[in-house]
Amino acid sequence: MPRTQVPKQNAGCFECCIKCLGGIPYASLIATILLYAGVALFCGCGHEALSGTVNILQTYFEMTRAAGDVIDVFTMIDIFKYVIYGVAAAFFVYGILLMVEGFFTTGAIKDLYGDFKITTCGRCVSAWFIMLTYIFMLAWLGVTAFTSLPVYMYFNLWTICRNATLVDGTNLCLDLRQYGIVTIGEEKKVCTTSESFIKMCDSNELNMTFHLFIVALAGAGAAVIAMVHYLMVLSANWAYVKDACRMQKYEDIKSKEEQELHDIHSTRSKERLNAYT
């Protein structure tokens, strides 16, 4: 029975697809997806959690915005929201830059013996990305630690609500001065015997804001993991590029020596031929 042969056009398309898939930096792709997911969770849930915090403070703690240029808790929340906008935009661009660097590094390694040459500028860019990613990893560690503070505050508030419903007759209070949200001279607290506290515990807003902060904390942790993953990928690419550069120099020197030997051999052959004639 005759064997079915694959057309040359289909074989060429298949080889092209395999070559394209082989040039994708999968490690950088996974780190980029993890980074985008973490930043999206942190920025989206963090923004909504801050908005929920403003509503809780205004509704149940009876706090109002300070008049004039006084920096109060509402002004700080607005600043945090603008910071979130900047973080989302900055790391969206940074993820794209790291993906592009991964594509170029992968191409440099795979096309070492082709027309593409590894330059000193490329190695400096890789080293710069390693340093920058390490700084961002430390920054995200700080963001993760900072995000755990509102989670701790809301956990205390949620615990007070739960204990108030389990134990009758208890009078537990939450004073915002303990967390530095208001000044010492202001007394902004709610107790379990007050009507506003009961309404706050029964509302879905408190539970939603608490869980939004938890998800934002998880997003910050995912961003830290993504930065660590990027560091491993960039360090491995830097080592590969460095070894490839040495191999490239070795091949250039070897090719140059072979060309010199060939020229010497050709010259001696011509001299012998001239002497014979």
Side-chain angles (χ1 to χ4, degrees):
M1 187 175 180
R3 180 182 295 180
T4 303
Q5 295 182 354
V6 180
K8 293 183 178 180
Q9 183 178 1
N10 294 338
C13 293
F14 179 76
E15 292 177 357
C16 182
C17 291
I18 293 298
K19 184 177 180 180
C20 291
L21 291 175
I24 296 176
Y26 292 100
S28 297
L29 180 62
I30 294 173
T32 303
I33 294 174
L34 185 61
L35 176 64
Y36 282 168
V39 172
L41 288 176
F42 172 76
C43 294
C45 295
H47 183 274
E48 293 301 317
L50 290 174
S51 300
T53 301
V54 171
N55 294 332
I56 289 174
L57 292 176
Q58 291 178 341
T59 304
Y60 303 108
F61 288 89
E62 299 179 354
M63 293 184 61
T64 57
R65 291 181 177 270
D69 297 333
V70 179
I71 298 178
D72 57 356
V73 62
F74 298 107
T75 305
M76 295 301 298
I77 288 176
D78 292 338
I79 293 174
F80 291 150
K81 287 183 178 180
Y82 286 116
V83 170
I84 286 176
Y85 300 149
V87 167
F91 279 92
F92 176 77
V93 175
Y94 190 66
I96 294 176
L97 292 177
L98 288 177
M99 274 298 298
V100 171
E101 194 273 343
F103 273 108
F104 274 105
T105 305
T106 304
I109 295 171
K110 292 184 177 297
D111 298 335
L112 174 61
Y113 298 101
D115 295 330
F116 188 85
K117 296 296 183 181
I118 301 172
T119 61
T120 305
C121 180
R123 284 178 288 163
C124 292
V125 170
S126 297
W128 171 256
F129 273 121
I130 292 174
M131 183 185 68
L132 200 60
T133 304
Y134 182 76
I135 294 174
F136 284 150
M137 184 198 69
L138 296 179
W140 274 109
L141 283 175
V143 170
T144 304
F146 183 77
T147 310
S148 64
L149 295 178
V151 174
Y152 172 73
M153 296 178 187
Y154 274 97
F155 177 76
N156 287 340
L157 184 57
W158 178 77
T159 304
I160 293 175
C161 290
R162 187 183 62 177
N163 293 336
T165 56
L166 293 178
V167 182
D168 296 333
T170 57
N171 186 18
L172 303 175
C173 296
L174 178 67
D175 195 343
L176 295 182
R177 291 177 295 182
Q178 298 175 347
Y179 304 102
I181 297 178
V182 295
T183 59
I184 300 297
E186 299 180 69
E187 185 177 353
K188 297 293 183 180
K189 66 179 181 179
V190 290
C191 298
T192 56
T193 56
S194 62
E195 184 179 357
S196 59
F197 181 84
I198 297 174
K199 291 181 179 179
M200 181 179 62
C201 292
D202 293 337
S203 66
N204 293 327
E205 193 171 18
L206 175 63
N207 191 39
M208 179 62 68
T209 305
F210 177 42
H211 286 87
L212 284 174
F213 271 120
I214 292 177
V215 177
L217 178 62
V224 173
I225 296 174
M227 290 292 103
V228 174
H229 196 167
Y230 269 129
L231 277 177
M232 292 189 295
V233 172
L234 291 171
S235 299
N237 288 342
W238 164 258
Y240 291 149
V241 169
K242 189 176 181 180
D243 291 341
C245 184
R246 291 178 179 176
M247 182 63 69
Q248 179 179 319
K249 291 181 179 179
Y250 170 75
E251 292 295 333
D252 292 340
I253 294 173
K254 182 179 178 182
S255 176
K256 185 177 180 180
E257 291 178 351
E258 289 178 352
Q259 184 64 34
E260 290 177 354
L261 291 175
H262 182 268
D263 293 341
I264 293 173
H265 181 72
S266 299
T267 303
R268 290 181 178 178
S269 298
K270 290 180 180 180
E271 291 177 354
R272 291 176 182 177
L273 181 60
N274 293 333
Y276 179 76
T277 56

